[in-house]
Amino acid sequence: MARVMTAPASSPSSPSSSWRRRPWVRWATPLLIVAVLAVLPLVGTEFQNETLARIGVFAVAVLGLNVVMGYTGQVSLGQIFFLGFGAYVTAYGVSQDWNIVLVFVLACLLPAAAGLLVALAAARLGGLAIAMVTIALPIVGVPLAKRLNEYTGGSQGLSARFAESPEGSGLYDDQWTLYLVIAIGGVVFLLTHFLVRGKYGRAFAIVKGNENVAASMGISPYRYKVLAFTIASAIGGVSGFLYMLVIQYTSPETMSFGHSIELLAAMVIGGAASIVGSLLGGAFYVLVPQLTNQVDASLTALLQGAILLVVLFVLPGGLASLPRALTRGRRRLRAGRGPAAPPTTPSSTPGSGTAAEQPETERQGHA
Amino acid sequence: MTLLELEDVTASYGPVQVLDGVTLSVPENGAVGILGANGAGKTTTLRAISGTVRAGGRIVFDGKDIRGMRPDQVAAQGIAHVPEGRGTLGDLTVRENLMVGAYLRKDRKGIDEDVDYCLDLFPNLRERITSNASALSGGEQQMLAVSRGIMSKPRLMLLDEASLGLAPSTAKNVYDAIRRLRVESGIAMLVVEQNANLAFTLVDTATVLETGRNALTGSSAELKGMDEIRRAYLGG
Amino acid sequence: MGEFVQLVVDGLSTGSVYAAIALAIVLVHSATGLVNFAQGGMAVLAAYVAWVLTNQSVPLVVAVLASIVFSFVLGAVVERYLMRRFERGDPDTAVVVTIGLLTLITGIAGWLWSYNNQQFPSLFPLDTVSFLGVSISIRSIGTTLSIVAVMIVLQLLFVRTKLGLALRAVAINPQSAAFSGLPVERLLMVGWGLAAVLGAVAGALVAPQLTLTPGMLDNALVYALAAVILGGLTSPVGVVIAAWMIGVLENLAAVYVPFIGHDLKIAVPFILLFVVLVVRPQGLFGRKTVVRV
Amino acid sequence: GGGNDAGRGGDAAEGAPSPGITDTSVTLGITTPLSGATAGPGTCTVAGVTAYMGMKNAEGGIEFGDGKTRTVEIEALDDTYDPQQAKANYDQLKDDVFAMTAGLGTPTNRAWLDAAIADEVPQVLIMTGDPIFSETEQSPWQLGFVPIYQNEGEAFGELLATSTEEHKVAILAQNDDYGEGYVEGFKSAIEGSDNIEIVDELTYEATDTSVDAQLTELANSEADIFFNAMSVTPLMISALQKAQQLGWTPSWFLPSNTSSPTAILEPGGAAAYPGIYSVSFSKAPQSPAFAEDEDVQTYLSALKDYGNYPDPPAFPHCQWSWMVGATLEQAFQNMEEPTRDSFMEALRSIEGYEAPLMLPDTSVSTGEDGQPAVSTVVVQKFNGRGYDTVETFE
Amino acid sequence: MAAELTLQDVSLQFGGIKVLQDVSFAVEPGQIFGLVGPNGAGKTSLFNCISGHYKPTAGTVRIDGTEVQGARPATLAKHGLARTFQHPALQLHETVLENVLLGAHTRLPGGALEWAVRLPRTWRAEKALRAEALELLERNDLGWAAHLPADELSHGLHKGVELCRALLMKPRLLLLDEPAAGLPHAEVETLIATVRRLRTDDDITVVIVEHHMGLIAALTDRVVVLDHGAKLMEGTAAEAQSDPRVIEAYIGKDAADDAA
Ligand SMILES: Nc1ncnc2c1ncn2[C@@H]1O[C@H](COP(=O)(O)OP(=O)(O)OP(=O)(O)O)[C@@H](O)[C@H]1O
Ligand SMILES: Nc1ncnc2c1ncn2[C@@H]1O[C@H](COP(=O)(O)OP(=O)(O)OP(=O)(O)O)[C@@H](O)[C@H]1O
Ligand SMILES: [Mg+2]
Ligand SMILES: [Mg+2]
């Protein structure tokens, strides 16, 4: 419509993204990733492998949370419940000597079904209300798990070891476990990666952005919230399966409400609505306590709080926004030297951080 | 006497520079218009003045350099910015919105009078005085935004498409009222307006922006006489 | 009958603890649009400050006043140097920042004062009065009345004063508020400062009952949040009533509904919340926000 | 490599030193909550043993059964009472430490129980009353320290059974294995006593902010004995206060970890009750009876100097952990090879050891299957300032 | 193809406020229909009633003879109804192209699982619609902006993007809420041409709310004038502009004089 040319120098393709678009890079990158993942378990020490496996568990849990919260904008404080549910299903199934594939399927389906039920009710609400309804899941889940002690082992929990490396594979248990985590987690990541691009990704995003618009595009906000929530629960269930695979024990404490909050923090720190961010979030969830324990075990809370704040202060978009922040920083450096952008007060710098200037948007209540 | 002086003003959103040397001046009690195609930089010019966007060059208000001030500091100098689009505070009632507009004023009586003035000007608002602003129709929100500007009794008003979404008669009323304010209260005006017919009933001079630069500046009469202006902005 | 009334009274007194934190959350939310998870942590910190002072044999009332002043400054500083960076960004990020802040504050308190339980002197005597066969401690009555007083002050602040209006306006849309000359940055600092003050009052009220530890209010936080949503984010009166309802209904359900019992009684507020929200999404007393197409 | 249970450690040659031990030092690992809701007692579990070993190190170290004198290093990690984190901590420590010890918590210890067995890493003298850790068959590399919960409940039940009067008992128990264990032990001891009737039994959650409702309900039972299996300090204080407000003044039974005279009974106003009973096996440092006690004085000063714990602790876990240190010393002295096997053997053959701070009639005995290191407790009655041992219920 | 829209005694109330009162009119297939009236008359609300965002308190809305009042907006959208919003509502951080592609949602085949495993037919469809969206942008002079984030476009341009988004839905009934607001005169002419083309090329029924009387006069076959929620008159644009009631309530005396 308008004849105004956009400022020519400012095409969106920064050098790095155009580099990423080269065909050989597009093919080589996945291959490289697969290759690295294939040898990774073979080169690490036992503890490194165990740590990586744990990262995998929580990366999957964060990924699930990202589907419902990062992409679809529905604050869920219940994700840990689905992890716990998946873990219990797995532990129970293993204790009953069920076929492990069946156990895996149940560990996805039962949490998904629970998630579906909850979502059918909760998706009618929005914003903070949905946060409060989902917060109830872990909070009620803990006493419920104790009450159902026939299946859950009550407060003493359930142990299950089912991932001994197969005879003749020549692998240590930790290597085998890590391979399983990488394989299962990798598939979940890949599927989610595809899902949040294209039709469903856009649909989730518009449900997050503006439900009225979504509806007028033929996207029922309710149905898509339910869908996202169910997917998140299923992925949560998978992470519960992996949890049992790696940790081999679950108890009501597994799903304590504090962990749900930590998962949420991990999601934001990794980068909301980002696949890589989920992985980084999982790493943050696992590595930071490890790190703070190393520094001073009696100051873990203080250090963890401080690290969280520092990371977000530097990268409000989460760890996944680091490359973007770097290119922006470089661009700003270059621009800063030009005559056109003299400094002004910090408060009026649009584009600083994630807070791109949105003069007319109102802030909605949000948890 | 010039009240507001812009000289070679530049502005950018992040790395994207959108103002490339805008120059204009608003005399005391004057009314100046800004015309231009979509995306020409009209809104950005007003934002540069009110401090919501990072700007370069010289912006002087009443002899004082206001470039780099925060928006509330600019407002405290006596500049009211009526923004484009939904410039209201959605979760506050209509009356509360008006009271926020009068935040810097101390004269209780004057405030009450002005509330009445606005409600007379826009009877729709009187009907919805206790409604949340977000429930109002598009046009009603626009009325409220303008009223908030009026409530702050500024020395200079920056109006960004004040007639946007207003019914023809209402739009005309608004401009009549603004003209009256200018005459009665001596408020100077800098208006961005797509409805150039309406704008020319108010402004003495106007400037046409093109890709962030002044393409033309002249008195109303001069501009109205130019073919390309007629074609692009006035019709017929 | 006596038991029933006693349970109601007990519930009101527990509910008042939730209400104390809930009010502070409402204040920050109304003034900045955020839900502040660190609210409890800040209250605990204030209580520790008061406790340290009383240990230096400063009179309790003076110590609490000092902790209030401390809290105001703390709140303002936290806003200025921490929250400001996140105020215009993604609200989820800002909430996570408050979670980080909670962890940090808890860690600092644990580091400075250890995780040992400390006795916090009560502002009210420990005596009990009884009427109609129900016994109530003076402390609960004092706490409850203080909460009511705070609630009234807060309600008046929001609806009657220019400051309250300005705080709300800034929370809704800082940019637009600035166009009317509202000193956005200062108001945000004041909003946080006041919320921290409220937290300090809450801390001093509930610390004697809960005994002072760094995590003293962690368990109450969930209830407080439920009360905030149930009552309607914008209404101080609403959240106090909601907090009381939660306290009372929880007790009654635990005792009179055998299936729920004391272990699942925590589900009660959430079921209540859910039912209410389906009927009234804005909460019991909240003002409906209209999002127009 | 081979796909077997033993991780990667493989079996070292017979007699070769296990990880975490050299000729001059031995390293012990702890995973315990150092932040979060259970950080109070958790911190204590580290402080006591650290203080004890610090004191020994300052004296030059401990002489082991193999003739070498070693200093003892302690690596403690925070698990925030999260089983997953506890397992991670264990994974991190297992190759560097000789043995894991002293950590607090049932689920957190259970989380790596199987792994410790598979890796053949000692998980000993831990602070949980869960019986599984003392079943040698199931837990060959484990040993609990504190009496199993059942024992404590049982001790009180037995005391009550000595009474000839009619008693009505009200029970409030934490809704987990802790509370259940207590109640189970108590009930088994009063079985068959016709004069004792349980009139009401309720539970609470460790995360509750208040137990007022339970107290109100229990007060209506008009019981004269209140068996309160509660492990949360603030709740115990408020329970003591609430019952008084309600005008309900039964005799109380309190568990060993929530019966501190200064931290709980005094603020709770315990003087109002006819009798406050608790079980214990350690001297209460706050009790005037022990103010001059040499053990207590050594302990308190070491806690300050080596344990980084300046205040008198509100939790008995500090004392217990101190005893863990002493018990470990016993095992070290008898252990003939610097191996975990040898250590376990030495540890399992301690008999009737009266560790410092132990009350008369209690001792550390590790030989009995199904029982933790300490299985004898004495019942005590609060005397206004400290505790006295009692034999009969009066 | 084009849809037929009939409203019968549509009323709408919020609390005590009567927003619409017994509004009835019929839009024939292929018509370009105008809806005008003073601010707050209920035009946008009427749109909301048609598109399912509001449920009328009384009356019926029929599309092609089927009663649709109370149907969910998403359902209506799937059956060929598209609309723009008075205040443009775009995904500001997404590119313009992604915004427009949102309109293709109902035209893309496949369920979540098929997209998750990237079934070939899903991405083939995606590719085809992407091309179509680009072409659509190109045709509306917005091709240059396709890969810019929407928030880098000015307010006026958002209107164009919204229009493209609605058009990609291939609707049979299109509701435009003040499409010309904020456009300079020259752009209004382009818009008029675009909407005309919609009728001739795409066979769409169009209902327009607009305060720009020039556009209404040039474009519409028929108009309804609303005032205070009630129908004031119905007729051609010219009839409306000369109707004294309309001049009184809406256009204003002076404005009418000016125009004359
Ligand atoms: N937040 C933003 N980030 C980046 N670029 C922007 C932003 N806002 C506006 N622009 C760009 O700046 C230029 C000027 O925009 P501005 O809003 O000032 O135009 P305008 O003249 O007011 O147009 P309209 O008549 O459509 O309102 C446009 O090219 C627009 O794309
Ligand atoms: N959700 C709602 N809640 C309360 N009032 C509403 C709501 N929606 C519309 N209204 C009221 O209905 C009336 C009609 O609004 P509507 O937006 O339909 O007007 P309009 O004709 O589109 O006006 P404009 O030309 O200004 O856009 C207004 O007074 C408005 O305040
Ligand atoms: Mg503009
Ligand atoms: Mg409208």
Side-chain angles (χ1 to χ4, degrees), chain B residues 23-52:
Chain B
T23 299
L24 62 83
S25 73
V26 183
E28 197 101 52
N29 198 15
V32 175
I34 303 179
L35 304 177
N38 292 131
K42 306 179 295 294
T43 297
T44 310
T45 305
L46 297 194
R47 287 187 188 160
I49 298 169
S50 66
T52 35

Side-chain angles (χ1 to χ4, degrees), chain B residues 137-139 165, chain C residues 292, chain E residues 39-40 42-45 86 177-178 209 211:
Chain B
S137 82
Chain C
R292 286 218 45 188
Chain E
N39 296 117
K43 306 178 293 296
T44 302
S45 301
Q86 181 166 6
D177 201 347
E178 302 200 15
V209 166
H211 291 301

Side-chain angles (χ1 to χ4, degrees), chain C residues 9 27 44 75 79 87-88 95 98 116 124 160 162 192 209 216 224 240 248 253 265 279 287:
Chain C
V9 169
L27 179 51
V44 169
E79 194 287 322
E87 242 132 31
R88 289 205 209 164
V95 170
T98 67
N116 243 344
F124 305 101
R160 286 286 161 78
K162 196 169 166 179
W192 272 80
Q209 194 169 340
M216 173 175 82
V240 170
V248 171
K265 68 176 179 184
V279 185
R287 214 188 142 92

Side-chain angles (χ1 to χ4, degrees), chain A residues 2-7 10 331-332 340-345 347-351 357 359-360 362, chain B residues 10 13 15-17 38-39 47 51-56 67-68 70 83-84 86 88-90 211:
Chain A
R3 317 276 159 280
V4 179
M5 290 298 107
T6 169
S10 63
R331 250 191 281 158
R332 181 154 325 133
T344 62
T345 55
S347 73
S348 54
T349 21
E357 181 171 76
E360 261 74 64
E362 296 189 0
Chain B
T10 58
Y13 295 100
V16 192
Q17 191 182 335
N38 292 131
R47 287 187 188 160
T52 35
V53 70
R54 160 205 289 255
R67 185 178 69 83
R70 279 183 280 117
E84 160 188 71
R86 297 181 177 176
T88 52
L89 296 161
T211 51

Side-chain angles (χ1 to χ4, degrees), chain B residues 122-140:
Chain B
F122 302 117
N124 288 45
L125 294 185
R126 192 184 287 283
E127 281 169 35
R128 312 301 310 270
I129 189 82
T130 54
S131 296
N132 272 1
S134 54
L136 300 182
S137 82
E140 287 164 345

